[in-house]
């Protein structure tokens, strides 16, 4: 098992390296000049040249690549031209906001898709099943940007129930930064009002992400549950006198978990890509918004770093699944070892 | 009479009319006997067996009557049947690997049958599961109890299934092709084990099979099913000695051939059994029957007594030698 995980880990590193190489060259292929952006419209050629030299943009591509990879191997993600800080510093500031949004959304998504799938699978083809299918499909059919704006219009502008923009009420003092996760920080500060403010700000962006993922997640989980319900061991379970509840929660569910986990991994991948859009719509100060702003001025280093970070997130979640599979299904372990 | 089945019909709902799979069959099972239902696949034998425990597919429609110990079972609410399954009627199945849940240890799945009926819980149930594994002659039962189904052999799995079916003390065991997935030596052991447990636990066994060899080994009485109907029913020895229905006779011949030359199996009966929804008119067996005459093609033969057996045939074997020679 340990051997297997080490192999997977090494594989993950290789994937990250590849992503770094690919994004490096892709970003350089784009005919854009970040130095010109930075210098501004009225800057002289000399100023632009000076900035180019400062960031090493005047050197040959191979030389830039080597020096970037050397830096990367030491954990140096480069400098941001736009913020004039190291990318690592920027990430340390923005990453917690994104992680908090992702984790909250993911948790809600898991609970919601799972309970909807269980409810739908109880009577496949029934009214409840149909209603759940219709609602989740509508939710997923709506584009993220439109859904985000519609939710803002509804809950912020019309109903005044929920705030939009940023992570925390602007007139209140945020709790001291300990973890960067405002939910945890406000709990550490022992401030219920800070916690409430944080949750209110999280509500709409999280809802937008969840609604968009729900249909696919619910349908995949539902299909897995229904397929397992037709297995022979279910007849055996009925044959010994077990009731539908025990059969569903003890026998069917655990068997359905493996395909559900696989689907969940893919959904997490989608979630990472949605988060950029959602952060822009909700002005959420995370790495998604940071990425968007960096893209706009062709700020190379942050863009590459973000590609690496989001890939790392995906690799990590896959690694986690590899650990979970054999725990859920004992047959997997004997294949792996 | 522990079980009385009367005019049992089972069909599958389809647009444009139900497809009949079992057509008005009737039989009785006596306490303590081994009652064998034999037939080819598609004959409705497994469906009949499963319907006794209310485990027929949800898409099927049933009519008639199934009385078990003076209680009507057919079309009772599932919650009511549930109390009886495992506790009064035990079941074992054809495919022990698929019939066991892959993600729970064997012992846990056996103990579950006790827990389901509130007969024991926790450690007591687990202990009794190990005892039951021992009773079905599994060596090192404590180890097998903690093993997962894929970690034990096919024969062991079927023994574990038997343990699961019998742990809550049922008086009737329905065994649906219990030896089909097993090789020949294990098959013999399994039949022996069932016979022993039958004596020890005063079991009535309904054994469903397509294997004449199994019939010869264990049957007290036989029900021969063909395409959803009773072909012949009665005392096993009488039927084996002088099969009266041409289908039974053909089954016996094919069994003898397959014993002598295993590769020649089933060639004794020409053609294939009709599938669901394509049952012919008249006697369902007539297209394959060497003795078929005009009346067989148009009229359903009624079930009538002939000595120790009852059979549904217009022209039983040996009733008309002149015609047989002609055929």
């Amino acid at each position: 098992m340990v051997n297997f995980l080490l192999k997977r880990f090494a594989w993950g590193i290789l994937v990250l390296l590849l992503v770094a190489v690919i994004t490096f060259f892709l970003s350089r292929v784009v005919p854009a000049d970040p130095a010109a952006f930075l210098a501004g419209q009225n800057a002289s050629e000399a100023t632009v040249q000076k900035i180019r030299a400062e960031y090493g943009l005047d050197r040959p591509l191979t030389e830039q690549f080597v020096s970037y990879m050397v830096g990367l191997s030491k954990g140096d993600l480069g400098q941001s031209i736009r913020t004039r800080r190291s990318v690592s510093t920027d990430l340390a500031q923005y990453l917690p906001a994104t992680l908090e949004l992702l984790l909250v959304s993911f948790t809600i998504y898991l609970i919601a898709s799972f309970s909807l799938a269980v409810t739908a699978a109880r009577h496949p083809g029934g009214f409840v099943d149909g209603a759940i299918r219709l609602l989740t499909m509508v939710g997923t059919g709506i584009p993220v940007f439109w859904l985000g704006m519609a939710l803002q219009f509804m809950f912020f502008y019309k109903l005044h129930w929920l705030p939009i923009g940023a992570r925390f009420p602007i007139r209140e003092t945020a709790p001291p930064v300990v973890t960067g996760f405002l939910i945890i920080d406000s709990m550490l500060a022992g401030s219920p009002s800070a916690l409430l403010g944080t949750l209110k700000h999280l509500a709409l962006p999280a809802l937008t992400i969840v609604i968009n993922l729900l249909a696919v997640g619910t349908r995949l989980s539902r299909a897995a549950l229904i397929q397992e319900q037709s297995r022979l061991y279910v007849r055996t379970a009925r044959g010994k006198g077990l009731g539908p509840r025990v059969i569903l929660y003890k026998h069917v569910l655990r068997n359905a978990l493996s395909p559900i986990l696989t689907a969940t991994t893919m959904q997490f991948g989608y979630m990472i890509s949605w988060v950029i859009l959602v952060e822009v719509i909700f002005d959420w100060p995370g790495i998604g918004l940071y990425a968007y702003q960096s893209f706009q001025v062709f700020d190379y280093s942050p863009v590459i770093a973000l590609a690496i970070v989001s890939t790392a997130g995906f690799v990590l979640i896959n690694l986690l699944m590899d650990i979970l599979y054999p725990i859920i299904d004992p047959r997997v372990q004997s294949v792996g070892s | 009479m522990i079980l009385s089945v009367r005019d049992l019909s089972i069909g599958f709902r389809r647009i444009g009319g139900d497809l009949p799979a079992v057509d008005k069959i009737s039989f009785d099972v006596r306490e303590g006997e081994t009652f064998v239902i034999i037939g080819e696949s598609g004959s409705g034998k497994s469906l009949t067996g499963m319907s006794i425990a209310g485990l027929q597919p949800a898409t099927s429609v049933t009519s008639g009557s199934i009385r078990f110990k003076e209680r009507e079972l057919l079309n009772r609410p599932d919650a009511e049947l549930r109390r009886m399954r495992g506790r009064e009627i035990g079941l074992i199945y054809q495919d022990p690997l698929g019939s066991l849940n892959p993600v729970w240890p064997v012992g846990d799945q056996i103990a579950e049958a006790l827990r389901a009926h509130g007969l024991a819980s926790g450690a007591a149930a687990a202990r009794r599961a190990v005892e039951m594994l021992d009773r079905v002659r599994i060596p090192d039962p404590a180890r097998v109890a903690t093993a997962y189904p894929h970690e034990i052999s096919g024969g062991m799995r079927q023994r574990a299934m038997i343990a699961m079916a019998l742990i809550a003390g049922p008086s009737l065991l329905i065994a649906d092709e219990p030896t089909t997935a097993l090789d020949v030596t294990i098959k013999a052991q399994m039949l022996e084990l069932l016979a022993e447990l039958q004596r020890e636990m005063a079991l009535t066994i309904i054994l469903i099979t397509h294997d004449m060899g199994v019939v010869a080994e264990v049957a007290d009485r036989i029900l021969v099913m063909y395409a959803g109907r009773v072909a012949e029913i009665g005392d096993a020895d009488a039927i084996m000695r002088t099969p009266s229905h041409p289908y039974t006779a053909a089954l016996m011949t094919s069994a003898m051939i397959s014993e002598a030359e295993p590769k020649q199996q089933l060639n004794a009966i020409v053609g294939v059994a009709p599938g669901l929804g394509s049952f012919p008119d008249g006697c369902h067996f007539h297209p394959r029957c060497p003795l078929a005459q005009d009346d067989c093609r148009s009229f359903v033969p009624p079930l009538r007594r002939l000595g120790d057996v009852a059979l549904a045939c217009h022209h039983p074997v040996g009733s008309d030698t002149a015609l047989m020679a002609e055929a």
Side-chain angles (χ1 to χ4, degrees):
Chain A
M1 183 71 190
V2 174
N3 217 334
F4 169 75
L5 284 179
L6 277 178
K7 225 179 275 176
R8 279 301 168 98
F9 190 75
W11 190 246
I13 299 289
L14 189 70
V15 169
L16 289 182
L17 212 66
L18 264 174
V19 165
V21 173
I22 292 169
T23 44
F24 180 89
F25 284 107
L26 272 183
S27 63
R28 295 307 199 273
V29 164
V30 180
D33 190 350
F37 266 104
L38 189 69
Q41 266 183 331
N42 303 319
S44 66
E45 182 55 33
T47 321
V48 175
Q49 198 57 50
K50 195 170 147 263
I51 293 172
R52 274 202 199 106
E54 188 185 331
Y55 288 94
L57 294 168
D58 55 344
R59 290 183 293 163
L61 194 57
T62 44
E63 212 184 303
Q64 287 186 42
F65 177 67
V66 169
S67 86
Y68 183 80
M69 293 315 274
V70 167
L72 198 61
S73 70
K74 294 178 197 149
D76 178 10
L77 292 167
Q79 290 289 121
S80 164
I81 299 179
R82 186 176 58 87
T83 64
R84 293 177 181 274
R85 298 194 299 183
S86 79
V87 174
S88 311
T89 313
D90 285 344
L91 283 185
Q93 184 186 340
Y94 299 124
L95 196 57
T98 300
L99 286 180
E100 187 167 46
L101 177 59
L102 274 181
L103 288 177
V104 168
S105 310
F106 200 55
T107 311
I108 298 173
Y109 159 76
L110 282 181
I111 295 168
S113 70
F114 204 68
S115 19
L116 285 174
V118 168
T119 314
R122 219 168 269 159
H123 300 287
F127 174 76
V128 178
D129 185 24
I132 287 172
R133 179 186 330 199
L134 186 71
L135 284 176
T136 52
M137 289 284 257
V138 166
T140 301
I142 300 171
V144 176
F145 60 89
W146 194 86
L147 178 67
M149 291 191 290
L151 289 175
Q152 290 180 348
F153 180 76
M154 188 76 185
F155 292 101
F156 171 70
Y157 183 72
K158 279 284 177 199
L159 295 171
H160 305 289
W161 285 0
L162 293 166
I164 55 166
R167 300 170 70 194
F168 201 76
I170 201 160
R171 290 185 200 84
E172 288 170 39
T173 329
V177 178
V178 183
T179 59
F181 291 82
L182 279 176
I183 293 180
I184 297 172
D185 285 351
S186 43
M187 282 198 266
L188 289 176
S191 161
S193 71
L195 182 63
L196 187 69
T198 304
L199 291 178
K200 274 184 168 179
H201 277 259
L202 264 166
L204 286 181
L207 197 62
T208 308
I209 294 178
V210 170
I211 288 177
N212 258 278
L213 291 173
L214 211 48
V216 175
T218 305
R219 297 208 72 191
L220 287 172
S221 306
R222 170 189 171 275
L225 286 170
I226 289 173
Q227 190 177 9
E228 284 302 322
Q229 277 171 345
S230 67
R231 299 260 190 238
L232 287 176
Y233 67 77
V234 172
R235 182 178 69 180
T236 309
R238 292 182 66 205
K240 56 186 151 178
L242 295 181
R245 204 170 280 272
V246 184
I247 293 176
L248 176 65
Y249 289 106
K250 181 176 177 188
H251 288 269
V252 170
L253 210 54
R254 180 141 174 224
N255 277 286
L257 271 186
S258 289
I260 291 176
L261 262 189
T262 310
T264 305
T265 317
M266 314 224 294
Q267 291 288 83
F268 191 80
Y270 286 118
M271 199 175 273
I272 290 176
S273 54
W274 285 140
V275 87
I276 295 185
L277 215 50
V278 170
E279 285 189 5
V280 172
I281 298 166
F282 286 93
D283 201 21
W284 189 262
I287 57 167
L289 190 61
Y290 177 62
Y292 172 74
Q293 288 163 346
S294 306
F295 280 131
Q296 284 186 315
V297 294
F298 299 98
D299 196 352
Y300 295 146
S301 295
V303 171
I304 302 169
L306 287 164
I308 294 172
V309 166
S310 54
T311 309
F314 197 61
V315 166
L316 267 180
I317 205 94
N318 272 287
L319 202 62
L320 185 68
M321 296 299 161
D322 283 334
I323 297 170
L324 284 178
Y325 280 129
I327 295 172
I328 291 167
D329 190 338
R331 285 168 302 177
V332 174
Q333 201 157 24
S334 53
V335 171
S337 59
Chain B
M1 223 57 77
I2 190 169
L3 184 80
S4 271
V5 175
R6 290 289 171 271
D7 292 327
L8 175 68
S9 291
I10 307 172
F12 290 96
R13 238 181 232 305
R14 289 287 186 286
I15 296 160
D18 294 351
L19 292 181
V22 172
D23 185 15
K24 289 201 166 178
I25 64 167
S26 300
F27 59 91
D28 292 322
V29 178
R30 297 171 190 156
E31 195 142 9
E33 73 173 346
T34 300
F35 185 83
V36 174
I37 305 178
I38 184 164
E40 289 168 89
S41 51
S43 61
K45 57 185 192 304
S46 292
L47 201 55
T48 303
M50 287 301 128
S51 68
I52 295 168
L55 292 179
Q56 70 276 21
T59 51
S60 61
V61 271
T62 50
S63 67
S65 155
I66 296 173
R67 292 186 75 81
F68 172 70
K69 292 182 177 171
E70 307 307 313
R71 277 169 299 163
E72 179 60 48
L73 299 187
L74 198 62
N75 296 326
R76 304 298 300 167
D78 197 67
E80 222 169 281
L81 293 173
R82 202 188 306 151
R83 284 196 287 277
M84 213 190 52
R85 289 187 205 123
R87 182 89 177 86
E88 293 181 68
I89 300 178
L91 297 119
I92 56 177
Y93 314 90
Q94 178 173 352
D95 170 12
L97 181 59
S99 297
L100 286 161
N101 192 326
V103 300
W104 294 104
V106 172
D108 176 78
Q109 296 186 53
I110 295 170
E112 227 181 4
L114 287 174
R115 298 196 189 105
H117 299 286
L119 297 172
S121 60
R127 204 168 44 242
R128 283 185 57 186
V130 176
E131 285 167 17
M132 198 64 211
L133 283 171
D134 189 45
R135 278 193 87 173
V136 296
R137 281 56 154 176
I138 282 186
D140 201 356
R143 187 191 62 81
V144 171
T146 57
Y148 289 98
H150 70 277
E151 295 171 337
I152 59 176
S153 71
M156 293 244 253
R157 282 180 210 132
Q158 194 59 292
R159 283 168 193 268
M161 288 299 292
I162 296 173
M164 185 192 297
L166 297 181
I167 194 167
S171 49
L172 174 65
L173 176 70
I174 300 172
D176 183 14
E177 305 237 20
T179 58
T180 304
L182 305 173
D183 63 48
V184 185
T185 44
I186 309 280
K187 184 159 95 179
Q189 290 173 15
M190 210 57 67
L191 293 176
E192 208 173 294
L193 173 66
L194 283 176
E196 282 171 32
L197 291 169
Q198 181 172 34
R199 275 195 301 278
E200 288 171 21
M201 305 175 81
L203 279 176
T204 305
I205 297 179
I206 296 178
L207 198 142
I208 297 158
T209 183
H210 65 272
D211 184 346
M212 258 309 186
V214 172
V215 180
E217 204 112 357
V218 297
D220 291 317
R221 291 193 312 128
I222 311 178
L223 162 62
V224 182
M225 276 187 83
Y226 186 82
R229 287 189 192 145
V230 174
E232 187 164 9
I233 180 171
D235 181 70
D237 291 334
I239 291 180
M240 304 279 284
R241 208 177 320 115
T242 48
S244 305
H245 198 288
Y247 177 60
T248 319
L251 275 181
M252 301 278 298
T253 316
S254 76
M256 276 186 288
I257 292 172
S258 69
E259 218 162 276
E261 287 172 73
K263 292 217 167 88
Q264 283 286 306
Q265 216 161 345
L266 286 175
N267 285 359
I269 314 176
V270 287
V272 286
L276 210 60
S278 54
F279 293 164
D281 288 338
C283 173
H284 283 171
F285 188 57
H286 85 255
R288 299 170 76 190
C289 182
L291 306 179
Q293 297 176 33
D294 282 346
D295 49 354
C296 301
R297 292 179 249 280
S298 338
F299 303 105
V300 178
L303 197 67
R304 54 198 171 94
R305 292 211 70 81
L306 195 87
D308 280 339
V309 302
L311 78 161
C313 182
H314 293 306
H315 308 285
V317 178
S319 66
D320 195 332
T321 35
L323 275 169
M324 253 192 96
E326 194 180 297

